Amino acid sequence: NAGVMQNPRHLVRRRGQEARLRCSPMKGHSHVYWYRQLPEEGLKFMVYLQKENIIDESGMPKERFSAEFPKEGPSILRIQQVVRGDSAAYFCASSPAGQGHEQYFGPGTRLTVT
Amino acid sequence: AQSVAQPEDQVNVAEGNPLTVKCTYSVSGNPYLFWYVQYPNRGLQFLLKYITGDNLVKGSYGFEAEFNKSQTSFHLKKPSALVSDSALYFCAVARGGSYIPTFGRGTSLIVHP
């Protein structure tokens, strides 16, 4: 049973470009979470999705950031017009259900904005 | 609102000695509590959780944690540390009924040979 997969593992973008981060949850998991980790900080929740639904996006910046989890295919975190402050590690996690269940994390995508 | 405090940025312990990584939390209602470990350039790995029941929870790699409701703490412990336990440890709390955990800032555990 493959774990949570994220790609790319490393992504370099120039300021103003778009970044697309992909996450394939574990088989059988229908809940996906995205987090951002900055150096010397813990994980900051961004968005929680189920198939074709955004359940909670309270941690998402109001502009430039969007996420989706389509019926088929991976979940996508999209950052438009990236700025240097977007440089961070972005982690995806999945769980079989929501409440009380541990999350299984992918290896992360390290985004560097030059 | 829910929050987690990990008061120590770093914990140093000699191999073979017991280790404790501290965590206190604040949440309304019953808490769901979790410990995760992160190795360099890797995602977080689940260690253990407390939902209900016995206050002493046993998890992966010989780790355990004790839920203390009166002190709102969930300290991570291991009787005998290994050098390979050196990593970043995160405590997380979710309010019962909530899907979203809040993570602490992490504690770097360094086990010296």
Side-chain angles (χ1 to χ4, degrees), chain A residues 9 31 33 35 37 40-43 45 48 50 56 91 97-107 110, chain B residues 32 34 36 38 40-46 49 51 88 90 96-106:
Chain A
R9 293 292 308 274
H31 298 241
Y33 308 77
Y35 295 88
Q37 185 178 38
E40 309 302 322
E41 294 188 20
L43 266 68
F45 166 75
Y48 162 46
Q50 295 179 25
D56 185 328
F91 290 95
Q99 302 175 32
H101 284 267
E102 63 269 25
Q103 297 179 9
Y104 295 82
F105 283 78
R110 275 160 182 79
Chain B
Y32 295 159
F34 306 85
Y36 290 83
Q38 184 181 30
N41 299 315
R42 302 282 294 276
L44 276 66
Q45 294 179 36
F46 169 76
K49 69 179 180 182
I51 302 298
L88 195 55
F90 290 95
S98 168
Y99 294 86
I100 311 301
T102 296
F103 286 81
R105 292 169 58 93

Side-chain angles (χ1 to χ4, degrees), chain B residues 5 16 18 40 73 91 94 100:
Chain B
S73 67
C91 180
I100 311 301

